[in-house]
Amino acid sequence: MANTILVGAQWGDEGKGKIIDVLTEEADVVVRTQGGNNAGHTVFVKKQKYVLHLIPSGILRRNKRCVIGNGVVIDPISLVEEIEGLRKLGVKVDGNLFVSETAHVVLPYHRELDAQREVLKGKDRIGTTKRGIGPAYGDKAARVGLRMIDLIQPERFSAQLRTRIRENNEVLKAFGARPLSFEKVNRAYLEAGRYLKRFVTNTVVLLHEALLRGEDILFEGAQGTFLDIDHGTYPFVTSSNTTAGGACTGSGVPPHRMDRVVGVMKAYTTRVGEGPLPTEDAEIGDMLHAMGREFGATTGRPRRCGWFDSVATRHAAMVNGIDEIAVTNIDGLDALETIKVCVAYRDGRKQYDYMPNDIELLSRCRPVYAEFPGWKTPTHKAKRWKDLPPKCRAYLKAIAELSCARLFIASVGPGREQTIFV
Ligand code: IMP
């Protein structure tokens, strides 16, 4: 399979979990390289639903090594719960999961600050998942974060935590929030540290040993291109690099060892949280919600929905170096008479065929649409490319061409068997 980076080419929730699961079949190692438990990857195996937040979905296949890399921020309590949840469903975790000792730890004051800052922002809020992701990455950049290597050494951890809680309690008090009890947090985190110790290791060395053996590595992205801290619709973004470069910094595997980049995109567009979504449209949103689709895997929030935005996906292809695309949720469009695709943006008389960086300008932009005839036929049972209705194939070819990438996978449902290699 070669070393493959998989990224979301839109605003997250592109259906990456399923594509990762499919590609994992040929990988030896699967690595998560950024984000935290703000992500929710849903995978169905034989009708059993699994929702993964921190652990790579490779864990659902036997004998795949799964790595949580140095670029991830880990809420240890939530990771323990995730491991226990998988065990109960009969998934083997021990011996297959490796957690970077330099990944940063998400602490209760991160979550509390995340929530308080959102309240303070009022109508300008980001709409975060309230998992403490922004403050945890903030501490990492400010060099006051605690890492997994600290968590598994009780004395060191407790000493650092005491200082951090003292400082953060002052901030929480200023917000009018309740201060945290050092003893309570310390106890819960040390317990999680004891549980997780056996998984914590030097994952950079582990990955380079795998490379030396010629093994294939899949780098699974979380969130999407337009939630990237550098390339997304700032400030309505997450706090990590969700684009392809993040796979290198978040794992310690250098760029020249990467062989290809696969971009995952829905056949339409969705977003959770605030911020511009140029093709947002009630017609498609109401239809998808009425079908029971497009509710967030992590927060259960209804996702905002819109037509396929090729200005965005072209930009994603550019910043990620996407070679191939996987288009998901095609069956969500089965009932439509006409399908719109955004081919440019317009603000007054000015037209843009790229994504403007100015967030106010982007918010003003209106989509310029091309229209495609709907196929009005169920596609969820299609197994091969030629099983898809000709109008559906034409639509998929068109969005791939507009996105400047080669169509690689067409996905017509959540199951592994609903995957068409083009
Ligand atoms: P945070 O990552 O919780 O700080 O949230 C920042 C923004 O990213 C918010 O708009 C979230 O809704 C969005 N976000 C974070 N994680 C995901 C995800 O996994 N899928 C989709 N949106 C996400």
Side-chain angles (χ1 to χ4, degrees):
M1 185 189 76
N3 297 326
T4 301
I5 301 176
L6 184 139
V7 291
Q10 295 161 323
W11 277 268
D13 304 319
E14 295 91 348
K16 293 181 295 295
K18 175 198 154 158
I19 304 299
I20 293 160
D21 176 63
V22 168
L23 294 184
T24 299
E25 194 170 4
E26 291 168 28
D28 301 294
V29 188
V30 188
V31 196
R32 182 68 200 276
T33 58
Q34 45 69 225
N37 64 341
N38 49 348
H41 288 163
T42 308
V43 182
F44 284 86
V45 183
K46 295 193 185 115
K47 304 238 159 75
Q48 174 66 53
K49 181 179 176 180
Y50 300 87
V51 182
L52 298 147
H53 297 286
L54 277 162
I55 301 176
S57 24
I59 204 76
L60 303 177
R61 293 184 186 264
R62 294 214 150 249
N63 305 322
K64 303 287 175 185
R65 266 157 301 140
C66 292
V67 173
I68 301 181
N70 55 277
V72 176
V73 289
I74 300 174
D75 181 331
I77 313 268
S78 153
L79 179 56
V80 171
E81 277 170 15
E82 198 170 324
I83 294 171
E84 282 298 304
L86 286 172
R87 276 198 181 135
K88 283 198 189 109
L89 292 170
V91 177
K92 181 175 176 287
V93 182
D94 283 89
N96 286 351
L97 178 67
F98 303 88
V99 178
S100 168
E101 53 195 12
T102 58
H104 278 247
V105 175
V106 178
L107 284 141
Y109 47 82
H110 294 135
R111 280 194 303 275
E112 193 58 45
L113 286 173
D114 194 357
Q116 294 294 338
R117 283 179 190 157
E118 286 283 272
V119 173
L120 189 70
K121 280 190 162 161
K123 68 171 182 35
D124 295 326
R125 70 187 177 279
I126 294 164
T128 74
T129 60
K130 299 202 178 69
R131 300 292 195 272
I133 305 301
Y137 277 112
D139 274 2
K140 175 178 176 175
R143 297 155 296 177
V144 290
L146 297 180
R147 305 190 292 178
M148 290 305 287
I149 201 165
D150 305 314
L151 181 71
I152 58 172
Q153 301 186 63
E155 269 181 39
R156 190 204 281 193
F157 179 77
S158 300
Q160 293 180 357
L161 181 70
R162 194 181 286 280
T163 319
R164 298 302 305 135
I165 288 205
R166 199 182 304 137
E167 180 190 317
N168 280 285
N169 275 349
E170 292 305 314
V171 184
L172 289 177
K173 270 191 248 163
F175 273 113
R178 217 155 20 120
L180 294 162
S181 147
F182 162 75
E183 276 75 24
K184 230 166 129 183
V185 177
N186 191 43
R187 208 175 316 120
Y189 272 65
L190 288 185
E191 193 185 329
R194 272 192 298 278
Y195 180 101
L196 293 173
K197 191 170 179 177
R198 77 197 105 139
F199 300 104
V200 177
T201 188
N202 186 330
T203 52
V204 174
V205 170
L206 181 146
L207 290 171
H208 280 265
E209 283 171 356
L211 287 172
L212 284 173
R213 286 193 296 272
E215 293 181 358
D216 290 331
I217 305 180
L218 175 64
F219 298 83
E220 67 160 65
Q223 291 87 41
T225 297
F226 298 101
L227 293 176
D228 184 284
I229 184 83
D230 285 289
H231 299 288
T233 50
Y234 191 92
F236 301 100
V237 293
T238 190
S239 299
S240 62
N241 283 114
T242 60
T243 44
C248 295
T249 52
S251 68
V253 175
H256 72 286
R257 303 307 304 265
M258 304 297 185
D259 299 301
R260 67 169 180 169
V261 181
V262 174
V264 185
M265 50 188 80
K266 275 182 180 147
Y268 46 88
T269 308
T270 64
R271 167 168 211 169
V272 280
E274 307 304 317
L277 185 64
T279 61
E280 187 165 18
D281 186 287
E283 180 192 344
I284 185 163
D286 292 348
M287 179 195 77
L288 291 165
H289 291 145
M291 289 161 87
R293 302 173 83 113
E294 303 309 342
F295 294 90
T298 301
T299 59
R301 290 183 284 181
R303 297 178 183 135
R304 297 159 63 195
C305 301
W307 300 105
F308 189 87
D309 182 346
S310 72
V311 180
T313 55
R314 210 159 43 237
H315 191 92
M318 183 171 74
V319 295
N320 292 293
I322 292 172
D323 305 296
E324 294 165 312
I325 62 171
V327 180
T328 67
N329 288 270
I330 295 163
D331 54 316
L333 301 181
D334 284 350
L336 287 167
E337 190 80 40
T338 306
I339 304 174
K340 293 181 193 171
V341 171
C342 170
V343 291
Y345 298 151
R346 181 169 289 152
D347 176 39
R349 286 159 71 181
K350 197 159 165 45
Q351 189 154 312
Y352 297 88
D353 58 3
Y354 63 89
M355 212 153 176
N357 283 321
D358 183 331
I359 201 79
E360 286 177 19
L361 166 58
L362 182 61
S363 304
R364 283 198 311 269
C365 278
R366 295 289 159 257
V368 177
Y369 285 123
E371 290 196 349
F372 292 80
W375 43 92
K376 298 205 292 174
T377 315
T379 53
H380 65 282
K381 288 200 175 132
K383 296 260 179 292
R384 291 156 303 176
W385 177 242
K386 64 176 197 272
D387 297 339
L388 289 172
K391 284 178 183 153
C392 178
R393 280 184 267 155
Y395 175 74
L396 295 174
K397 276 191 190 159
I399 61 174
E401 201 168 302
L402 286 164
S403 306
C404 299
R406 194 168 71 77
L407 183 62
F408 165 50
I409 286 176
S411 167
V412 291
R416 278 179 183 165
E417 69 293 350
Q418 291 171 299
T419 311
I420 299 166
F421 289 88
V422 182

CSV table of all heavy atoms in Angstrom, one decimal, residues 287 291 330-339 374-379:
chain,number,residue,atom,x,y,z
A,287,MET,N,-33.4,17.7,4.0
A,287,MET,CA,-33.5,16.4,3.4
A,287,MET,C,-32.7,15.3,4.2
A,287,MET,O,-33.1,14.3,4.6
A,287,MET,CB,-33.1,16.4,2.0
A,287,MET,CG,-33.3,15.0,1.3
A,287,MET,SD,-32.4,15.0,-0.3
A,287,MET,CE,-30.7,14.8,0.2
A,291,MET,N,-33.7,12.2,6.8
A,291,MET,CA,-33.2,10.8,6.5
A,291,MET,C,-32.5,10.2,7.8
A,291,MET,O,-32.0,9.1,7.7
A,291,MET,CB,-32.3,10.7,5.3
A,291,MET,CG,-32.9,11.0,4.0
A,291,MET,SD,-31.6,11.5,2.8
A,291,MET,CE,-31.1,9.9,2.2
A,330,ILE,N,-22.4,9.0,-0.9
A,330,ILE,CA,-23.0,9.2,-2.3
A,330,ILE,C,-24.5,8.9,-2.2
A,330,ILE,O,-25.4,9.6,-2.8
A,330,ILE,CB,-22.4,8.3,-3.3
A,330,ILE,CG1,-20.9,8.8,-3.5
A,330,ILE,CG2,-23.1,8.4,-4.6
A,330,ILE,CD1,-20.0,7.8,-4.1
A,331,ASP,N,-24.9,7.9,-1.4
A,331,ASP,CA,-26.3,7.4,-1.3
A,331,ASP,C,-27.2,8.5,-0.7
A,331,ASP,O,-28.4,8.5,-0.9
A,331,ASP,CB,-26.4,6.1,-0.5
A,331,ASP,CG,-25.7,6.2,0.8
A,331,ASP,OD1,-24.6,6.8,0.9
A,331,ASP,OD2,-26.3,5.8,1.8
A,332,GLY,N,-26.6,9.5,0.0
A,332,GLY,CA,-27.3,10.6,0.6
A,332,GLY,C,-28.0,11.4,-0.4
A,332,GLY,O,-28.9,12.2,-0.1
A,333,LEU,N,-27.5,11.4,-1.7
A,333,LEU,CA,-28.0,12.2,-2.7
A,333,LEU,C,-29.0,11.5,-3.7
A,333,LEU,O,-29.5,12.1,-4.6
A,333,LEU,CB,-26.9,12.8,-3.6
A,333,LEU,CG,-25.8,13.7,-2.8
A,333,LEU,CD1,-24.8,14.2,-3.8
A,333,LEU,CD2,-26.5,14.8,-2.1
A,334,ASP,N,-29.2,10.2,-3.3
A,334,ASP,CA,-30.0,9.3,-4.3
A,334,ASP,C,-31.4,9.9,-4.7
A,334,ASP,O,-31.8,9.6,-5.8
A,334,ASP,CB,-30.3,8.0,-3.6
A,334,ASP,CG,-29.0,7.1,-3.6
A,334,ASP,OD1,-28.0,7.5,-4.3
A,334,ASP,OD2,-29.0,6.0,-3.0
A,335,ALA,N,-32.0,10.7,-3.8
A,335,ALA,CA,-33.4,11.1,-4.0
A,335,ALA,C,-33.5,12.4,-4.8
A,335,ALA,O,-34.6,12.8,-5.2
A,335,ALA,CB,-34.2,11.2,-2.7
A,336,LEU,N,-32.4,13.0,-5.1
A,336,LEU,CA,-32.5,14.4,-5.6
A,336,LEU,C,-32.8,14.5,-7.1
A,336,LEU,O,-32.2,13.7,-7.9
A,336,LEU,CB,-31.3,15.2,-5.3
A,336,LEU,CG,-31.1,15.6,-3.8
A,336,LEU,CD1,-29.7,16.1,-3.5
A,336,LEU,CD2,-32.1,16.7,-3.5
A,337,GLU,N,-33.6,15.4,-7.5
A,337,GLU,CA,-33.9,15.7,-8.9
A,337,GLU,C,-32.7,16.4,-9.6
A,337,GLU,O,-32.3,16.0,-10.6
A,337,GLU,CB,-35.1,16.6,-8.9
A,337,GLU,CG,-35.7,16.9,-10.3
A,337,GLU,CD,-36.7,15.7,-10.7
A,337,GLU,OE1,-37.4,15.2,-9.8
A,337,GLU,OE2,-36.6,15.4,-11.8
A,338,THR,N,-32.2,17.4,-8.8
A,338,THR,CA,-31.1,18.2,-9.4
A,338,THR,C,-30.0,18.3,-8.3
A,338,THR,O,-30.4,18.5,-7.1
A,338,THR,CB,-31.5,19.6,-9.8
A,338,THR,OG1,-32.6,19.4,-10.7
A,338,THR,CG2,-30.4,20.4,-10.5
A,339,ILE,N,-28.8,18.3,-8.6
A,339,ILE,CA,-27.7,18.4,-7.6
A,339,ILE,C,-26.8,19.6,-8.0
A,339,ILE,O,-26.4,19.7,-9.1
A,339,ILE,CB,-26.9,17.1,-7.5
A,339,ILE,CG1,-27.8,15.9,-7.2
A,339,ILE,CG2,-25.8,17.2,-6.5
A,339,ILE,CD1,-27.1,14.6,-7.3
A,374,GLY,N,-30.0,14.6,-11.1
A,374,GLY,CA,-29.9,13.6,-10.1
A,374,GLY,C,-30.1,12.2,-10.7
A,374,GLY,O,-30.7,12.1,-11.8
A,375,TRP,N,-29.7,11.1,-10.0
A,375,TRP,CA,-29.9,9.8,-10.6
A,375,TRP,C,-31.2,9.1,-10.1
A,375,TRP,O,-31.6,8.1,-10.7
A,375,TRP,CB,-28.6,8.9,-10.4
A,375,TRP,CG,-28.1,9.0,-9.0
A,375,TRP,CD1,-28.4,8.2,-7.9
A,375,TRP,CD2,-27.1,10.0,-8.5
A,375,TRP,NE1,-27.7,8.6,-6.8
A,375,TRP,CE2,-26.9,9.7,-7.1
A,375,TRP,CE3,-26.4,11.0,-9.1
A,375,TRP,CZ2,-26.0,10.4,-6.3
A,375,TRP,CZ3,-25.6,11.7,-8.3
A,375,TRP,CH2,-25.4,11.4,-6.9
A,376,LYS,N,-31.7,9.6,-9.0
A,376,LYS,CA,-33.0,9.1,-8.5
A,376,LYS,C,-33.1,7.6,-8.4
A,376,LYS,O,-34.1,7.0,-8.8
A,376,LYS,CB,-34.1,9.8,-9.2
A,376,LYS,CG,-34.1,11.3,-9.1
A,376,LYS,CD,-35.4,11.9,-9.3
A,376,LYS,CE,-35.9,11.8,-10.7
A,376,LYS,NZ,-37.2,12.3,-10.9
A,377,THR,N,-32.1,6.9,-8.1
A,377,THR,CA,-32.0,5.5,-7.9
A,377,THR,C,-31.2,5.1,-6.7
A,377,THR,O,-30.2,5.8,-6.5
A,377,THR,CB,-31.2,4.9,-9.2
A,377,THR,OG1,-31.7,5.5,-10.3
A,377,THR,CG2,-31.4,3.4,-9.3
A,378,PRO,N,-31.6,4.1,-5.9
A,378,PRO,CA,-30.8,3.8,-4.7
A,378,PRO,C,-29.4,3.2,-5.2
A,378,PRO,O,-29.4,2.5,-6.1
A,378,PRO,CB,-31.6,2.7,-4.1
A,378,PRO,CG,-33.0,2.7,-4.6
A,378,PRO,CD,-32.9,3.3,-6.0
A,379,THR,N,-28.4,3.7,-4.5
A,379,THR,CA,-27.1,3.2,-4.9
A,379,THR,C,-26.4,2.3,-3.8
A,379,THR,O,-25.3,1.8,-4.0
A,379,THR,CB,-26.1,4.5,-5.1
A,379,THR,OG1,-26.2,5.3,-3.9
A,379,THR,CG2,-26.5,5.3,-6.3
